[in-house]
Amino acid sequence: MSQHVWTKSSHCQEGEACVHISVTAETVLLSDSATPSPTSILTTTHPAFAALIRMLRK
């Protein structure tokens, strides 16, 4: 698996209760760990992630 640059959400609770995101040209990767394992990564498309963000902002 290639190395991804993970960014911690700006809306984190104390400690490591955060969502981490890594964006590639084709996908958006989400994890609840700063060092995720391949089985803990949710992979989605840019349009699907944008739709999720729009729904969460309502």
Side-chain angles (χ1 to χ4, degrees):
M1 183 168 97
S2 63
Q3 294 294 324
H4 297 284
V5 177
W6 292 93
T7 303
K8 186 190 301 189
S9 169
S10 61
H11 296 284
C12 290
Q13 297 176 2
E14 291 183 28
E16 287 298 314
C18 299
V19 172
H20 294 79
I21 185 169
S22 180
V23 179
T24 70
E26 300 86 22
T27 60
V28 177
L29 308 171
L30 301 165
S31 179
D32 64 351
S33 170
T35 54
S37 67
T39 58
S40 69
I41 299 171
L42 174 68
T43 303
T44 189
T45 63
H46 289 271
F49 185 68
L52 172 66
I53 297 300
R54 282 192 302 275
M55 291 293 295
L56 292 173
R57 287 184 175 165
K58 289 184 177 183

